Amino acid sequence: MPSSAIRLYTLGERAAVIASPPPVNVGCQRRIWWLAQRLASHAAVCELVPGMNNLTVLLDPAGPAPDAFLAELEALWQQAEAAQLPDTREISLPVIYGGADGPDLGEVARLAHLSPDEVIALHAGANYQVYFLGFRPGFAYLGGLPTRLSTPRRAEPRRTVPAGSVGIGGEQTGVYPLASPGGWQVIGRCTEPLFDATAEPPTRLRPGDTVRFVPVTEPCSR
Amino acid sequence: MLEVIQAGTLCSVQDLGRPGLRHLGIGPGGALDALALMVANRLVGNRLGAAGLEIPLGPLELRFGRDGSLALAGADFDATLDGMPVWPGWRTPVHAGQRLHLAAARFGQRAYLAVDGGIDVPLVLGARGTDLGAGFGGLQGRALRVGDRLPQGRPNPHWPRRGVKLPDWSPLLRALPGPDYPAFAANAQRRFWGEAWQVSADSDRVGYRLLGNTLHCELEHELPSHAVLPGVVQVPPSGQPIVLLADAPTTGGYPCLAVVIEADLWLLAQARPGARLGFVRCGLAEAAAARDAQARYLRQLEWGLYGR
């Protein structure tokens, strides 16, 4: 990947960011994982936050200013290889699509010129890979959304999206583990929990895991 | 033990948050006005990051279970202890059975209460603060309710009544241009720095929504999700900016117009709905100097209180 395509910038007073432009791809994400592994023991680094084909490096305020760190970040990126993550798994998640659980299924179908059933078949027919966790506790950003299902985020984020909601935002799809504000189009609800603060680890999914969605109907009356 | 007689609204146990877990989607959280919590903690002899109460809306009334001391900082809530005034920025001795009452904010938005020994709720994922959105930490992961009992840590040595100068609030927040700043039209950039922004009633620990002229971004594509931090001013397609705070999501996809510097985040935490704010452009050196100035204030406070 030519370095000219890479964006390097600061975010506020203590973060340096490296970002690869769209389209999102898993090869790039493997290099992001590699970069995060390499920087984990760096003396100036407080925290590493992988995003979708990007990495934000939170720096120790006592260390270098973020603009002074960009050159080092770029040099490391040039060496970056596709990392293999340890202990990745294949995970099936049950989803109730449409109805009250997926209020935006119709809108996604309309924008994709598909029927709601075709949207469900496409969404549940794909294998997804966990690129990174972010947004809210335990939320996994998944790569592998069929291009036909790409849908813009809502113009105004919702104040509350129920726990388990399965959404599409741009080229991404995922499950909201907790009730939270959100700007994605909601097409269904996953019936298994993805976050438990008292569990070790607290999150169900890990970067590198492969995820499939399995359509189910309401298991029993609530 | 502190008994909650009146619970206020959205009052929660907060400390300095749980950094280091963003890669699991877990945000830092913690006191929105971290400076106020630190000052209150040092007044009663706690370490800077001990857990206290964040009080955005009264009336709150607590009954103390043992002798000790308390300190309030941040917003002035017309507080009284058994009917006698308790001013923000003072250490006040307290006896078992006494009742602390906080009415409503006279100035500012959030009061912080520290008690000697701290609020001794269990550590969850490395901190005692409440993540109200995700429902963990603090007292059962939720805001206070009438009848709650808050465990209080071991007593600190007693010191006499003593006050410190609290920092002055200002409606002007210093900010750095954000990574997507160049993607905003010149007139949107000008308006952001030049016009007053009104705090929406729809503002909370997640973020402050600002009302004013809409700001349009010329980015053609939505951005792939990337990390966001407290202080990030993001602009959704509606064109109304949102300043993210401690309970914001760890990542987002809206364009980032600016980032409020860390030293000025407390000003936002104390801005009331309806207040008019302005943004002042600054650079990295000024942000670092502002952080140093805050550290110097805390060192001076330490010297004044404990002579070290």
Side-chain angles (χ1 to χ4, degrees):
Chain A
M1 193 170 296
S3 67
S4 60
I6 287 293
R7 230 182 128 205
L8 285 147
Y9 55 88
T10 60
L11 177 69
E13 65 212 77
R14 50 178 297 227
V17 184
I18 185 163
S20 180
V24 159
N25 67 89
V26 73
C28 177
Q29 197 65 18
R30 290 184 181 283
R31 294 179 71 194
I32 295 289
W33 294 336
W34 183 94
L35 198 55
Q37 286 172 346
R38 266 299 285 270
L39 286 167
S41 55
H42 194 294
V45 173
C46 276
E47 196 165 345
L48 292 154
V49 196
M52 196 56 117
N53 280 190
N54 57 61
L55 178 70
T56 300
V57 184
L58 269 65
L59 297 163
D60 186 338
D67 51 349
F69 194 75
L70 296 178
E72 186 173 346
L73 200 52
E74 183 170 27
L76 263 182
W77 177 254
Q78 295 307 328
Q79 304 169 31
E81 298 154 13
Q84 291 298 328
L85 293 178
D87 306 326
T88 59
R89 306 147 304 169
E90 291 189 7
I91 290 177
S92 293
L93 296 176
V95 174
I96 303 166
Y97 284 98
D101 294 309
D104 300 325
L105 178 64
E107 176 71 358
V108 171
R110 190 182 67 77
L111 290 167
H113 305 291
L114 295 168
S115 71
D117 283 346
E118 288 169 325
V119 169
I120 295 169
L122 269 175
H123 192 261
N127 280 318
Y128 300 92
Q129 189 157 38
V130 178
Y131 275 41
F132 67 100
L133 301 185
F135 180 62
R136 301 288 295 143
F139 183 87
Y141 284 81
L142 303 174
L145 181 70
T147 25
R148 289 195 70 179
L149 295 183
S150 286
T151 312
R153 295 180 178 86
R154 295 169 54 82
E156 188 65 22
R158 283 193 173 95
R159 295 288 298 175
T160 307
V161 172
S165 291
V166 178
I168 291 176
E171 300 169 358
Q172 302 164 43
T173 188
V175 184
Y176 289 86
L178 302 157
S180 59
W184 288 18
Q185 312 278 358
V186 175
I187 62 168
R189 185 172 59 85
C190 171
T191 57
E192 280 186 14
L194 297 179
F195 175 75
D196 176 357
T198 60
E200 178 54 48
T203 49
R204 168 88 193 275
L205 300 175
R206 288 200 289 258
D209 284 349
T210 301
V211 174
R212 284 186 72 90
F213 295 112
V214 181
V216 293
T217 48
E218 188 70 46
C220 52
S221 60
R222 276 178 292 177
Chain B
M1 199 73 81
L2 293 158
E3 190 184 344
V4 178
I5 312 289
Q6 283 182 284
T9 300
L10 290 173
C11 296
S12 61
V13 176
Q14 293 297 341
D15 56 9
L16 297 183
R18 37 179 74 78
L21 300 175
R22 285 181 164 94
H23 65 287
L24 300 178
I26 300 168
L32 284 198
D33 184 349
L35 188 59
L37 178 65
M38 289 193 279
V39 170
N41 270 328
R42 287 311 293 144
L43 276 165
V44 296
N46 292 344
R47 59 190 175 78
L48 288 170
L53 290 184
E54 179 174 279
I55 301 146
L57 213 57
L60 176 78
E61 187 162 309
L62 303 171
R63 182 159 54 210
F64 283 79
R66 68 161 167 80
D67 292 359
S69 56
L70 69 86
L72 290 164
D76 184 344
F77 265 66
D78 275 338
T80 54
L81 185 64
D82 281 357
M84 300 298 289
V86 176
W87 307 103
W90 286 81
R91 169 204 297 148
T92 304
V94 60
H95 298 293
Q98 283 194 300
R99 289 180 177 216
L100 177 72
H101 182 85
L102 280 80
R106 168 188 291 277
F107 187 81
Q109 174 65 29
R110 291 178 170 78
Y112 291 83
L113 169 69
V115 294
D116 73 304
I119 307 285
D120 194 21
V121 291
L123 281 170
V124 178
L125 295 170
R128 292 188 167 80
T130 316
D131 188 324
L132 290 169
F136 67 88
L139 190 76
Q140 299 163 21
R142 58 168 174 78
L144 299 189
R145 289 181 197 152
V146 171
D148 280 342
R149 288 161 176 274
L150 295 162
Q152 190 174 351
R154 288 223 304 270
N156 292 337
H158 280 239
W159 284 288
R161 191 182 300 277
R162 185 73 195 273
V164 296
K165 185 187 182 311
L166 295 178
D168 291 323
W169 187 80
S170 156
L172 296 179
L173 314 175
R174 287 166 291 185
L176 300 155
D180 305 309
Y181 183 78
F184 285 83
N187 73 339
Q189 295 175 355
R190 230 180 0 255
R191 285 211 310 268
F192 177 68
W193 303 115
E195 294 181 1
W197 294 94
Q198 193 176 26
V199 176
S200 155
D202 199 8
S203 297
D204 55 21
R205 289 181 45 85
V206 172
Y208 267 44
R209 291 172 182 242
L210 302 178
L211 306 172
N213 284 313
T214 55
L215 302 172
H216 282 294
C217 179
E218 290 165 356
L219 279 182
E220 288 173 19
H221 304 288
E222 290 181 19
L223 300 160
S225 292
H226 52 270
V228 293
L229 306 171
V232 159
V233 182
Q234 63 176 25
V235 183
S238 68
Q240 296 291 299
I242 302 170
V243 191
L244 300 179
L245 292 174
D247 280 359
T250 61
T251 57
Y254 294 125
C256 171
L257 173 60
V259 186
V260 176
I261 67 170
E262 286 178 16
D264 285 357
L265 282 176
W266 77 271
L267 299 174
L268 204 57
Q270 295 298 357
R272 300 160 73 118
R276 292 162 79 81
L277 306 174
F279 294 95
V280 180
R281 185 173 179 164
C282 80
L284 282 171
E286 201 174 339
R291 217 166 45 224
D292 285 350
Q294 213 162 72
R296 230 170 22 249
Y297 166 76
L298 286 172
R299 278 206 305 276
Q300 191 180 341
L301 185 134
E302 190 69 27
W303 181 84
L305 287 174
Y306 303 109
R308 55 176 189 244

